Structure formats: C-alpha cells, structure tokens
C-alpha cells in the first residue's frame, strides 16, 4: 500500500483514523527525514501507545471530527 502511494521525499501525509499507528509508522520512512506524518485519531492515547514504541517522528493529534485541524507544517 505504501509503495503504491509513491510518496516523494519531504511529503507531508495525514493518517486520519490512525488507531495504533499501523500505517503511520510505515509512512514515516517513505516520506524520509524531511517529511512529516500526522497521525490523527479521537483516541490520542491509542496512537501514542502504538507510535512511541518506535524510533520515528510522527506528530500525534487527538481530535474529534468537528474540531480536527491539521497544522500547516
């Protein structure tokens, strides 16, 4: 799935409904060190639990649909 996306180095991607971060942690290497992965889920603790165990940078955002917003960078 990740390879199919053909993400360029430095891309910014959002994993909406990230859950435990299954795709977030796989997207991080695909966007490279200049890229960014935003893992968004209503259960922030669930995403943090899945992502914190790995040595990658993923921005974890907890939000409900009406208040969800993604930072510009």
């Amino acid at each position: 799935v990740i390879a199919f996306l053909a993400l360029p180095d430095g891309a910014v991607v959002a994993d909406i409904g990230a859950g435990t971060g299954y795709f977030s942690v796989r997207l991080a290497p695909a966007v490279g060190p200049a890229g960014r992965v935003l893992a968004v889920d209503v259960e922030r603790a669930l995403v943090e639990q899945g992502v914190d165990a790995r040595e990658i940078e993923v921005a974890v955002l907890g939000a409900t649909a009406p208040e969800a917003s993604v930072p510009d960078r």
Side-chain angles (χ1 to χ4, degrees):
V1 171
I2 306 304
F4 178 78
L5 295 172
L7 298 167
D9 286 342
V12 177
V13 296
D15 182 4
I16 308 298
T20 58
Y22 177 85
F23 282 106
S24 300
V25 298
R26 286 156 178 82
L27 287 164
V31 299
R36 188 154 186 217
V37 176
L38 305 170
V40 182
D41 200 281
V42 295
E43 292 292 333
R44 181 185 181 104
L46 185 63
V47 184
E48 288 173 342
Q49 178 184 2
V51 171
D52 283 348
R54 295 161 177 88
E55 294 179 12
I56 59 166
E57 185 176 341
V58 173
V60 177
L61 308 171
T64 60
E67 65 189 26
S69 65
V70 196
D72 291 335
R73 198 72 163 90

